[in-house]
Amino acid sequence: MATGSSFHPGGSGSRNGPSFASPSSSSSGVPGQAQPMAVVWEWQDDQGFWRPYTGQVSSYIEQCLQQQRGAGPSSSICLAQVDPSLSAYIIDIPNLKQFRQDTGKVRAVRRSLFPQSSALGSGVLWEWANDEGGWTAYEIRTSIMLEHSYQAGQATADLSPHGYNYIVDLTALQQVNKATSYRRQVRRQVSVPYPLASGSVIHSGPACSCHQCLSNSSAAGPMLSRSRHSFTAGQANRPSLQTQSQQGRLPGTSSSSAYSPYPRRPLSMGSLLWNGPWSTPTSVAHTSGPPQAFGHHANGLSIPTIPLHMNGSSSVNSALAAPAQKPEDVIKKYMEEVPVVPDEDCIICMERLSCPSGYEVPAECSQSLQPNTVGKLSKCGHTFHMLCMLAMYNNGTKDGSLQCPSCKTIYGEKTGIQPKGKMEIYSIPQSLPGHPDCGTIQIIYNIPPGIQGPEHPNPGQPYTCRGFPRFCFLPDNDKGRKVLELLKVAWTRRLIFTVGTSSTTGEPDTVIWNEIHHKTEMMSNVSGHGYPDPNYLDNVLSELASQGVTEDCLK
C-alpha cells in the first residue's frame, strides 16, 4: 500500500488534485442545496501521485477524528486497528504524515473531498497490477471515471482526458498502452463506502489540500523541523543547540501528547568521542562560556549535551581497534605457561594437553611458543595449547583481545568487523507498548555497500547491505538509556553488525546482525521484534555483556 511502484499509468500525466464542487451547487441543480461530499484519505507515492486508502480505512480515520474532537489536538492513528495488512503504518495527524514503523518511511497524506458518486458511495476502487507483483490504486478521479464507464456498460475507457496514454479494456480487465500495446491487468475492488463529510476537520499542523483547508488558509503552518545527529567517520559537527520555541512549534501542538515521526530533539550523546577533538563548523554560531547543558524532561524529550563521533574502519586497520600488536605478544599478555600440564583435552584441537598441539609454529613466531607449550588464561584459569590460542587469534579480527573458547571471558577490548556506517539517535514522545510512562528512543543504522577489507571473510570482494537503513526502538527510561549508552560503545567497537551469510535469505557476503538483538517495530509486534516484551532490556544487556560491553565501559 505505502510502497510506491516504479511504474505509474502516465509518466507525463496530470497530477492535479481533486476537483471540488461549489458548496452552493448540487448535482440536481437546486440552488442553495449543497452537494454531498465524500471524504477520501490519500497517501502520496514516490512519483508524487495521490493514492487513496480504501473506504474502510478512510471511514476509520474519520471516526478517530470525530472521537478526538474536543479532546485537544489530534495525535496519531494506528491503521492496524482497521486493516491488519496495514499494521506497520501510523498516521501522524498534526503533520499529515504516514509513518511506517518497520522501515521508518514517511509519506505525506491528505484529506480530500469529492462530490459523492456511485463509485465512492459503493466503496469501489480500480487498481492496476504493478511491477512488484502487487496492486496500485488509480487516482480517485480516474477510478470514478472507470466506474462510471463500467456501470454504463462501455467496453473501454480512454484515460487520455486525465493525461494518460492508456485505454482500459473493461471486458478483459486490462490496461493497454496506446503507443506500445503493452497490457497490464486491472481489477475492480469493492470496500466500505467512503464516508460523507460532516462538521469541521481537526487540523493542528500544515494545511492539507481538502476543500475546507483550501478555503481556510489560516490552517497552514510550517512543518516541524527534524533535528538529528549523524555519527559518521570523518565528520565531527556539533549540532545547533536550540530550544523548542526556536524550532517553530506549530500552533495547537503539544510535544508531550502529539505523536510525530519527526522527533523534536536528538537524545543526549554523552561525552564519549574518539578520533580527535570536536571541531565546530563555521555554520554554527560561536558562543562564549561553557557548552549548554540540558536535562532529561518528564515528557520523554531529551536534549543533547555533547554529540558522539561514531564509527568508521579503514581498509586495513580499524580506527577503533587497539594499536597493532604481534599476535604472539597478545597470547603472552593474557596467558601464562603452566609448569604442570593438567590431564585434560585442549578444546581447540581436541588433543590431550600432554600431547603436542595440532598446529605448527608460525614462521614469524619466536621459539618460546612450542607445540607442547600449555598456558592458562589469567582470569578464568582455563588451559589450552598456547599455539592453539595463537591460531584462534590469527583466525579472528586480531584486535588485541582474546576470548576464552570455554567460558567466553573476554580479555582486552573486543572489536568486530562491522563495515563503515552511520548511527543516528532520536527522541520520540510516543510511548512504546508496555512502557506507558516514558517516550521512545529511535536508533537508525545505515551502512552502505562496499568492498571487504582484510578483516572480512572474503577480502577484496563486495559486500551487500540489505534492509538499510534499519530502525530500532528503546524505551526512554533509565534502563533503556543505559542500553543505548552500551549500544553506542558496541557500535564504536564494530560489534552491532558483521559480514557473513544471511540466515534468512542464505545470501553470502552481506551485512547481518551480530548477536545483539534489536527491536525493529515500534507500535506493533508483527515480526516478533516489537513491543511489548518485558524481558527484552535484560536480554540485550546479557548479549552486550557477552561481547564485552558492560557498565564498566561507561565508567
Side-chain angles (χ1 to χ4, degrees):
M1 181 278 303
T3 53
S5 170
S6 58
F7 170 85
H8 51 84
S12 59
S14 169
R15 298 190 183 187
N16 297 334
S19 58
F20 301 108
S22 169
S24 61
S25 65
S26 69
S27 57
S28 60
V30 179
Q33 181 177 337
Q35 181 179 7
M37 304 293 284
V39 177
V40 179
W41 280 85
E42 302 171 292
W43 56 274
Q44 192 173 38
D45 68 14
D46 291 334
Q47 287 78 38
F49 291 89
W50 290 95
R51 305 298 177 188
Y53 293 98
T54 64
Q56 182 179 11
V57 173
S58 293
S59 296
Y60 177 73
I61 296 174
E62 287 294 296
Q63 290 172 10
C64 292
L65 290 179
Q66 292 291 339
Q67 293 169 2
Q68 294 172 352
R69 182 170 296 156
S74 307
S75 55
S76 61
I77 297 174
C78 181
L79 299 187
Q81 304 297 323
V82 63
D83 186 344
S85 68
L86 304 182
S87 60
Y89 299 96
I90 293 174
I91 302 298
D92 169 25
I93 294 299
N95 294 301
L96 291 174
K97 298 291 180 181
Q98 172 191 273
F99 176 57
R100 179 165 177 167
Q101 302 174 67
D102 54 350
T103 66
K105 179 74 173 181
V106 177
R107 296 183 183 275
V109 299
R110 70 180 184 183
R111 179 186 190 267
S112 300
L113 300 183
F114 291 85
Q116 179 67 295
S117 65
S118 60
L120 300 179
S122 303
V124 171
L125 281 180
W126 283 81
E127 301 173 327
W128 48 273
N130 57 43
D131 293 332
E132 286 72 41
W135 295 89
T136 299
Y138 286 96
E139 295 172 282
I140 278 293
R141 63 196 183 99
T142 304
S143 193
I144 291 174
M145 186 192 75
L146 289 172
E147 180 63 12
H148 285 174
S149 301
Y150 178 82
Q151 294 292 345
Q154 298 177 9
T156 61
D158 191 346
L159 303 189
S160 57
H162 289 185
Y164 302 138
N165 194 32
Y166 298 95
I167 290 178
V168 175
D169 186 332
L170 297 173
T171 303
L173 293 179
Q174 291 182 330
Q175 172 187 278
V176 184
N177 188 308
K178 293 181 181 179
T180 65
S181 298
Y182 185 82
R183 293 174 175 262
R184 290 181 182 273
Q185 293 297 119
V186 301
R187 69 179 184 179
R188 178 178 180 267
Q189 291 291 96
V190 180
S191 178
V192 173
Y194 283 92
L196 293 177
S198 62
S200 60
V201 186
I202 300 175
H203 287 314
S204 58
C208 73
S209 56
C210 72
H211 187 239
Q212 181 165 330
C213 283
L214 288 175
S215 62
N216 182 14
S217 60
S218 64
M223 274 185 59
L224 288 171
S225 61
R226 187 180 191 184
S227 178
R228 69 180 184 180
H229 289 316
S230 296
F231 309 128
T232 62
Q235 295 178 343
N237 298 336
R238 288 186 184 273
S240 172
L241 300 178
Q242 299 175 316
T243 62
Q244 185 71 31
S245 60
Q246 292 171 317
Q247 294 181 3
R249 181 182 293 173
L250 295 179
T253 60
S254 169
S255 62
S256 61
S257 61
Y259 170 81
S260 173
Y262 294 97
R264 304 307 199 261
R265 290 175 179 142
L267 284 166
S268 170
M269 296 300 101
S271 59
L272 176 65
L273 45 101
W274 60 271
N275 199 26
W278 286 106
S279 60
T280 305
T282 56
S283 60
V284 178
H286 293 276
T287 59
S288 59
Q292 290 179 266
F294 299 88
H296 180 66
H297 295 270
N299 63 6
L301 297 182
S302 306
I303 296 103
T305 52
I306 302 175
L308 179 64
H309 186 197
M310 299 300 285
N311 182 24
S313 64
S314 68
S315 59
V316 179
N317 293 313
S318 167
L320 306 172
Q325 302 179 56
K326 290 179 60 177
E328 181 182 355
D329 293 340
V330 175
I331 301 303
K332 291 180 178 180
K333 180 178 180 180
Y334 300 116
M335 297 187 75
E336 58 182 23
E337 187 175 350
V338 295
V340 179
V341 178
D343 186 21
E344 58 188 52
D345 290 340
C346 172
I347 66 170
I348 299 175
C349 68
M350 301 310 295
E351 297 284 352
R352 301 295 289 179
L353 287 173
S354 56
C355 298
S357 168
Y359 292 93
E360 297 181 355
V361 181
E364 66 275 9
C365 185
S366 70
Q367 297 301 312
S368 60
L369 292 187
Q370 294 298 313
N372 58 352
T373 305
V374 175
K376 177 177 69 174
L377 287 166
S378 57
K379 285 193 286 187
C380 64
H382 289 112
T383 53
F384 310 93
H385 290 122
M386 295 182 75
L387 274 184
C388 291
M389 287 296 292
L390 180 64
M392 187 183 75
Y393 178 82
N394 284 330
N395 197 42
T397 58
K398 294 191 250 188
D399 59 0
S401 72
L402 280 182
Q403 185 167 20
C404 175
S406 179
C407 66
K408 307 305 179 185
T409 298
I410 294 174
Y411 297 80
E413 184 177 292
K414 179 181 179 181
T415 60
I417 60 171
Q418 172 182 293
K420 181 178 179 180
K422 180 169 63 175
M423 178 184 187
E424 298 172 299
I425 301 170
Y426 303 96
S427 176
I428 300 176
Q430 182 82 353
S431 296
L432 291 167
H435 298 277
D437 300 328
C438 64
T440 299
I441 298 167
Q442 182 188 53
I443 306 171
I444 304 178
Y445 297 112
N446 203 356
I447 297 178
I451 302 299
Q452 296 182 54
E455 73 271 31
H456 292 130
N458 296 298
Q461 297 299 311
Y463 60 82
T464 60
C465 298
R466 310 297 185 191
F468 285 91
R470 298 190 184 183
F471 294 76
C472 309
F473 304 94
L474 291 168
D476 193 2
N477 55 25
D478 289 342
K479 185 176 284 189
R481 292 174 71 84
K482 180 170 75 172
V483 169
L484 172 64
E485 295 301 317
L486 294 175
L487 287 175
K488 283 154 51 176
V489 173
W491 173 265
T492 61
R493 295 183 183 178
R494 306 174 67 191
L495 295 170
I496 301 292
F497 297 95
T498 188
V499 175
T501 300
S502 171
S503 61
T504 55
T505 66
E507 180 183 12
D509 298 321
T510 190
V511 176
I512 56 177
W513 292 107
N514 188 33
E515 299 181 357
I516 300 175
H517 286 83
H518 286 63
K519 293 296 187 182
T520 54
E521 291 183 62
M522 181 177 173
M523 300 300 292
S524 61
N525 198 10
V526 177
S527 65
H529 300 294
Y531 292 92
D533 184 347
N535 299 320
Y536 169 66
L537 294 179
D538 290 328
N539 290 341
V540 75
L541 285 172
S542 297
E543 292 170 346
L544 285 161
S546 70
Q547 300 281 0
V549 181
T550 65
E551 289 187 66
D552 292 338
C553 302
L554 306 179
K555 297 177 181 178

